[in-house]
Amino acid sequence: SQQGEEDPQALSIQEGENATMNCSYKTSINNLQWYRQNSGRGLVHLILIRSNEREKHSGRLRVTLDTSKKSSSLLITASRAADTASYFCAPTPNDYKLSFGAGTTVTVRA
Amino acid sequence: DTEVTQTPKHLVMGMTNKKSLKCEQHMGHRAMYWYKQKAKKPPELMFVYSYEKLSINESVPSRFSPECPNSSLLNLHLHALQPEDSALYLCASSLEGGGSRNEQFFGPGTRLTVL
């Protein structure tokens, strides 16, 4: 399995602003998943984008995938205080394993 | 029911104790997972069960012993743990292990403290 590397490590934005974070990985994938974790709690699956997809939307979330650059981005639009969390990408080969990167910690200021 | 439940929420144990963590899901998922997460770190995979059989053990010390009594339940038996084993233990499940549909559903975790 492989690990994603998220960038930036931390992000602080004002409520209503957009937040963008990036994920890079090293080898070929079946899909790439994004998860959110609120402080000290379980992870919540946000979105799964398959290797043959380039962009996917879910509510205020927009995910892009560029397999030629081995990178993905997660955009959260019109952020809210409830979006304060750590966000992890998990580039997923065709097996059971999810390997998470260090994550991006997002703080949304009121 | 789209929930993974874990009990207990918190556990404090001594190094000589034996305890168990429990995880349950009723989504008909056939793959279940244990992860360990230290503070400010990402979750690390420990074990994977697929169709009630252990399919992956990520070189976890034998003081952690997983068990899958049936397709809805996953246990993690703990014995002779060390203080460095203190962490958040997360259980997850997915429809199946590999293939395209491997979105994982996580429980809220058990916060374990080893004294």
Side-chain angles (χ1 to χ4, degrees):
Chain A
S1 63
Q2 65 175 309
Q3 212 173 33
E5 292 184 15
E6 290 94 343
D7 171 62
Q9 289 185 351
L11 188 54
S12 180
I13 55 174
Q14 201 73 30
E15 207 164 20
E17 292 180 341
N18 296 344
T20 300
M21 59 210 87
N22 303 296
C23 171
S24 59
Y25 58 93
K26 292 190 167 64
T27 61
S28 63
I29 57 172
N30 175 282
N31 63 66
L32 188 141
Q33 302 179 39
W34 286 91
Y35 288 80
R36 182 189 75 223
Q37 185 176 34
N38 293 92
S39 180
R41 304 188 66 181
L43 279 74
V44 174
H45 181 267
L46 295 176
I47 202 161
L48 180 156
I49 185 165
R50 304 191 197 291
S51 59
N52 62 352
E53 297 176 309
R54 292 295 165 259
E55 187 170 312
K56 203 160 182 181
H57 297 256
S58 176
R60 293 183 296 111
L61 305 179
R62 173 178 166 252
V63 166
T64 63
L65 179 64
D66 187 334
T67 52
S68 66
K69 294 182 180 176
K70 294 188 169 55
S71 68
S72 174
S73 68
L74 171 66
L75 168 67
I76 305 171
T77 60
S79 62
R80 305 168 182 168
D83 296 326
T84 294
S86 293
Y87 292 81
F88 297 96
C89 73
T92 308
N94 201 20
D95 63 16
Y96 301 98
K97 297 185 183 183
L98 288 185
S99 290
F100 298 96
T104 295
T105 300
V106 174
T107 303
V108 180
R109 306 186 307 272
Chain B
D1 185 356
T2 57
E3 198 179 34
V4 176
T5 58
Q6 290 187 245
T7 55
K9 286 191 170 59
H10 301 274
L11 179 62
V12 179
M13 59 186 290
M15 289 190 284
T16 58
N17 292 157
K18 282 185 183 181
K19 296 285 185 184
S20 297
L21 309 184
K22 294 185 187 304
C23 174
E24 192 165 2
Q25 56 87 15
H26 295 286
M27 294 179 277
H29 289 176
R30 303 314 301 269
M32 295 186 77
Y33 311 78
W34 280 115
Y35 290 85
K36 174 182 176 180
Q37 186 178 26
K38 302 282 275 184
K40 299 191 187 304
K41 297 288 186 186
E44 294 179 351
L45 183 66
M46 300 174 72
F47 302 104
V48 180
Y49 272 82
S50 178
Y51 294 89
E52 299 158 52
K53 290 188 177 0
L54 182 65
S55 59
I56 294 176
N57 175 342
E58 291 285 89
S59 303
V60 179
S62 60
R63 57 186 185 269
F64 295 92
S65 174
E67 178 196 19
C68 189
N70 60 56
S71 60
S72 299
L73 291 174
L74 186 66
N75 298 321
L76 186 62
H77 302 298
L78 314 172
H79 174 54
L81 294 194
Q82 304 296 311
E84 59 264 28
D85 296 321
S86 298
L88 181 68
Y89 288 84
L90 295 163
C91 173
S93 70
S94 66
L95 189 66
E96 56 189 34
S100 59
R101 292 197 62 181
N102 52 359
E103 164 193 355
Q104 291 188 16
F105 290 77
F106 282 78
T110 293
R111 177 76 59 190
L112 174 68
T113 303
V114 182
L115 301 176

